[in-house]
Amino acid sequence: MILDSKIPEGPIAEKWDKHKFNVKLVNPANKRKYDIIVVGTGLAGASAAATLGELGYNVKAFCFQDSPRRAHSIAAQGGINAAKNYQNDGDSVFRLFYDTVKGGDYRSREANVYRLAQVSVNIIDQCVAQGVPFARDYGGLLANRSFGGAQVSRTFYARGQTGQQLLLGAYSALNRQIAYGKVKMFPRTEMLDLVMVDGKARGIVVRNLITGKIESHSAHAVILATGGYGNVFFLSTNAMGSNATAAWRAYKKGALFANPCFTQIHPTCIPVSGEYQSKLTLMSESLRNDGRVWVPKTVETAQRLRKGEITLNDIAEADRDYFLERKYPAFGNLVPRDVASRNAKLACDEGRGVGSTGLAVYLDFADAIKRDGQAAIAAKYGNLFEMYAKITDENPYERPMRIYPAVHYTMGGLWVDYNLMTTIPGLYAAGECNFSDHGANRLGASALMQGLADGYFVIPYTIGDYLAKMPYDKVPTDHPAFREAEQAVIDINNQLLSINGTRTVDAFHKELGLIMWNHCGMARNEEGLRTAKQEIRRLREEFWRDVKVTGVGEELNQTLERANRVADFIELGELMVEDALNRSESCGGHFREESQTPENEALRDDENYAYVAAWEFTGVGNEPVLHKEELEFENVKLTQRSYK
């Protein structure tokens, strides 16, 4: 298989405009003849469905939640990037492009990233027009703050609720199209397979999560906007329902899966407190604007603190190690997430961690409160402080927050070309479920930017180029390909229901999560990855032999829902480990212990690994086939990242 990225010719600043002019267009009167399926209603899915409906296409939108506005995009807190340069501090489209490529440790496709930076300036205008209540400065202009990996202030925000407010904007646009009849909404409906006719994506098979009924839906093209796969680790900042089933089933139908080992660990999360937990809570990266990260300078002091022999107030300023400020004076506490996470882990591994487990560092606002006053800090972060206090029963205005890294975002996903089409004609992937923009590490506040860029400003152009070449003919859902796919879904469900084993679905998921976190988490090495590969294969075989799924298929059955998702997570975990083994270098969120500098920084191998690793499915239990998309850097020089 030859990977054709379809990157337009010409200077990078002209590629997108030239491409938009050269793509084929669909006559407005003909748009109503085409049906498009959108799976997922987060920022990417809702914005794509709303925009395509506005253009005149017939859209069917699907989500497993009870409402589109419950998509996990709602949980994003800190902000959305855009190269507006409102602060007049030197920002530009090229600087946002450069920061994103550098932040991704030079493992992203230049053309896609530049386009993302270009359309970022339009996103803010779109959202303001929709009524998104971005924060404003004293003069009424939109306010900006800093985020990790940048030395300019380009992040627009709505307190600590940015994702929620942006999703409400997209949800309003989506509801408008639902009211007009251009979008038909299917809540509580989960995609379980992709249907292909003559080698093209022509529909999906879904399960109605209320009745259990298996149904098919036909279309001329399918867009997946189903988010990331961080829940493969069980404990993550993702909602418990977040899953990878739609993307994974597409992979098993022939869509290549790219860079699955690129997982982002967020440095600012509330630490694990016990085995009873089912998810972790994110504290926005925006807090690192004013919060200072530190641990005791010595192991002895940290031990005494953990034992209760001394209190926090007994540790003098001279005995505190503000390690990010010490190591990275240029960026300080606002280094990228992978750098901050690894350094927090290193401090705890040295025995200088705080809290009862020793797996935490402090995020301290004392200096900021003293400088600006508590009211000013509350105005910026009040809802985040309230959330922290409710969860921990500690007042962050009076004592530092305790934070520790946790799985947050996945940069890998379905391989897509410049048009966001996968290797299956007619199947597109938008937002976090594709691999295209973030390389090996996502900069904070760039997830919302990518989701809305893909949905509002990219796919509505590029999908027309595909549809313009297609006949209007619809494929009926009684076509043999749909019947075959439906039967395959029914067979899997029946198999899961018939096992009647002794272990719960969650027990398998937790075990998978531990294997992944211990061997393919913040740090990886060859021995651990090979162990993980064997352990996951053993777990997969045991799952299909001993999982207990109660109830029946033709009714509400959340155990069956989770069983399907965990079965896919187990297989995905195998591929993540395979990808991590293949990539014998460190880059961004992928940190191989064998590849690091004397200062414990990630050490890339550009000669051998400056490529996208796109994997082809060859059957469960079989070794996947690796395809490489070589990355070319014509506008950014490949250098060792430095935030010092």
Side-chain angles (χ1 to χ4, degrees):
M1 182 183 297
I2 298 175
L3 293 177
D4 182 5
S5 61
K6 296 184 171 64
I7 298 173
E9 297 292 329
I12 195 165
E14 300 174 9
K15 288 181 186 295
W16 178 230
D17 288 338
K18 186 180 295 185
H19 189 63
K20 285 190 294 183
F21 181 77
N22 289 331
V23 295
K24 293 185 179 299
L25 301 177
V26 179
N27 182 305
N30 289 336
K31 287 189 173 81
R32 64 177 67 98
K33 300 176 183 179
Y34 289 108
D35 299 330
I36 300 174
I37 285 172
V38 179
V39 185
T41 58
L43 288 180
S47 59
T51 307
L52 292 167
E54 181 75 28
L55 287 171
Y57 295 105
N58 305 309
V59 181
K60 290 183 178 181
F62 297 81
C63 68
F64 65 78
Q65 299 93 344
D66 55 3
S67 166
R69 64 172 297 223
R70 292 182 65 84
H72 188 58
S73 298
I74 205 170
Q77 298 169 346
I80 176 171
N81 288 330
K84 286 284 197 182
N85 194 31
Y86 281 173
Q87 302 295 310
N88 197 29
D89 57 358
D91 202 9
S92 65
V93 167
F94 191 88
R95 189 176 293 279
L96 175 53
F97 157 69
Y98 175 81
D99 287 347
T100 304
V101 173
K102 177 182 175 183
D105 218 351
Y106 306 92
R107 290 295 176 263
S108 47
R109 187 191 288 154
E110 276 194 344
N112 287 64
V113 178
Y114 195 89
R115 177 177 62 188
L116 176 65
Q118 279 179 298
V119 303
S120 71
V121 299
N122 300 326
I123 294 170
I124 304 303
D125 298 337
Q126 171 95 2
C127 295
V128 169
Q130 291 173 337
V132 174
F134 286 122
R136 294 179 181 268
D137 64 21
Y138 180 76
L141 300 176
L142 296 183
N144 293 114
R145 59 189 176 197
S146 299
F147 254 63
Q151 291 181 302
V152 296
S153 296
R154 64 164 65 102
T155 303
F156 296 78
Y157 62 98
R159 297 187 75 195
Q161 306 168 353
T162 312
Q164 180 182 24
Q165 298 302 328
L166 290 172
L167 188 61
L168 287 173
Y171 176 62
S172 300
L174 178 62
N175 271 349
R176 185 168 179 264
Q177 296 307 314
I178 292 172
Y180 287 161
K182 295 307 297 180
V183 175
K184 187 173 183 181
M185 190 68 227
F186 294 86
R188 299 295 286 140
T189 306
E190 183 164 23
M191 173 183 161
L192 292 180
D193 209 353
L194 177 73
V195 180
M196 295 173 60
V197 178
D198 298 329
K200 299 177 180 178
R202 293 304 304 262
I204 60 174
V205 175
V206 301
R207 181 172 182 268
N208 184 312
L209 298 181
I210 303 298
T211 66
K213 184 179 179 182
I214 303 298
E215 302 168 332
S216 287
H217 295 270
S218 173
H220 293 89
V222 177
I223 300 171
L224 300 186
T226 50
Y229 48 90
N231 274 356
V232 70
F233 291 86
F234 185 72
L235 284 178
S236 81
T237 66
N238 293 344
M240 288 191 66
S242 298
N243 65 86
T245 287
W248 190 250
R249 304 278 168 105
Y251 164 69
K252 295 174 81 168
K253 281 295 181 73
L256 300 192
F257 209 103
N259 298 339
C261 78
F262 287 169
T263 305
Q264 181 178 80
I265 312 294
H266 198 294
T268 318
C269 302
I270 297 178
V272 176
S273 57
E275 293 186 1
Y276 58 84
Q277 280 185 266
S278 56
K279 76 176 299 292
L280 297 173
T281 303
L282 170 70
M283 300 306 297
S284 170
E285 180 175 306
S286 63
L287 294 170
R288 289 196 275 140
N289 270 290
D290 289 297
R292 302 181 69 191
V293 180
W294 67 274
V295 291
K297 278 189 175 179
T298 67
V299 173
E300 179 186 2
T301 304
Q303 288 175 339
R304 294 183 65 199
L305 183 65
R306 291 195 295 268
K307 292 176 182 177
E309 296 175 0
I310 59 174
T311 67
L312 181 65
N313 293 331
D314 293 325
I315 304 178
E317 185 72 12
D319 296 325
R320 303 180 179 193
D321 180 15
Y322 297 91
F323 54 89
L324 294 179
E325 298 172 32
R326 172 173 55 83
K327 292 183 177 182
Y328 309 99
F331 283 74
N333 294 299
L334 286 174
V335 292
R337 292 174 174 179
D338 62 314
V339 177
S341 294
R342 277 199 302 276
N343 278 276
K345 178 182 185 295
L346 185 62
C348 293
D349 288 348
E350 292 171 349
R352 298 190 292 139
V354 300
S356 59
T357 63
L359 294 177
V361 300
Y362 284 131
L363 183 61
D364 196 335
F365 291 86
D367 287 349
I369 292 172
K370 183 178 179 181
R371 180 187 67 236
D372 300 331
Q374 183 169 320
I377 298 302
K380 288 183 180 179
Y381 314 113
N383 61 309
L384 298 171
F385 278 46
E386 291 167 12
M387 182 171 68
Y388 182 87
K390 286 180 180 179
I391 292 172
T392 65
D393 197 29
E394 295 177 3
N395 185 344
Y397 293 107
E398 297 176 355
R399 59 180 294 133
M401 291 182 180
R402 287 177 292 107
I403 58 168
Y404 193 69
V407 172
H408 178 55
Y409 187 92
T410 49
M411 286 72 67
L414 294 176
W415 185 91
V416 293
D417 62 18
Y418 190 73
N419 295 319
L420 303 188
M421 189 189 288
T422 69
T423 48
I424 295 176
L427 177 66
Y428 292 79
E432 191 180 356
C433 77
N434 76 34
F435 87 101
S436 67
D437 292 359
H438 304 301
N441 177 64
R442 177 174 68 80
L443 290 183
S446 287
L448 308 186
M449 177 175 63
Q450 186 211 347
L452 292 180
D454 287 356
Y456 282 137
F457 298 111
V458 179
I459 274 186
Y461 284 99
T462 60
I463 201 169
D465 186 56
Y466 173 75
L467 294 174
K469 305 165 190 172
M470 281 195 73
Y472 308 131
D473 301 350
K474 301 179 188 295
V475 177
T477 54
D478 60 359
H479 187 282
F482 281 92
R483 291 285 172 257
E484 182 181 339
E486 284 182 12
Q487 190 58 52
V489 167
I490 292 169
D491 290 345
I492 292 174
N493 288 347
N494 288 339
Q495 184 179 0
L496 288 167
L497 290 163
S498 68
I499 295 170
N500 197 29
T502 62
R503 297 187 64 189
T504 65
V505 174
D506 280 356
F508 281 102
H509 197 178
K510 286 182 179 180
E511 186 173 349
L512 172 66
L514 280 174
I515 295 170
M516 294 300 295
W517 180 250
N518 289 336
H519 301 300
C520 198
M522 269 195 283
R524 300 108 185 248
N525 58 57
E526 182 175 359
E527 181 182 359
L529 289 168
R530 295 199 180 281
T531 298
K533 190 173 180 177
Q534 295 175 351
E535 287 294 299
I536 295 172
R537 285 182 173 177
R538 172 197 57 77
L539 189 69
R540 171 168 49 80
E541 294 170 0
E542 186 178 346
F543 176 88
W544 288 102
R545 186 177 64 247
D546 198 30
V547 70
K548 187 174 186 65
V549 181
T550 56
V552 297
E554 294 76 30
E555 65 179 17
L556 175 71
N557 188 338
Q558 292 184 313
T559 305
L560 180 59
E561 288 175 38
R562 293 198 299 273
N564 266 294
R565 296 168 187 169
V566 172
D568 294 332
F569 274 140
I570 292 173
E571 294 176 6
L572 173 56
E574 285 189 78
L575 185 63
M576 291 172 68
V577 169
E578 187 69 35
D579 188 41
L581 267 172
N582 167 73
R583 193 170 285 278
S584 297
E585 66 163 352
S586 292
C587 54
H590 169 64
F591 191 74
R592 284 286 294 263
E593 292 175 347
E594 305 95 332
S595 300
Q596 55 182 307
T597 68
E599 295 81 25
N600 304 116
E601 303 291 349
L603 183 61
R604 295 196 321 270
D605 180 353
D606 294 330
E607 184 177 348
N608 295 303
Y609 294 101
Y611 61 75
V612 175
W615 297 91
E616 179 184 357
F617 179 71
T618 59
V620 176
N622 297 333
E623 296 292 330
V625 174
L626 173 64
H627 302 273
K628 299 178 182 180
E629 178 196 343
E630 301 293 338
L631 293 171
E632 297 180 6
F633 294 91
E634 300 173 352
N635 301 274
V636 176
K637 184 180 179 181
L638 281 166
T639 58
Q640 183 67 32
R641 276 196 315 173
S642 174
Y643 292 94
K644 294 182 182 298

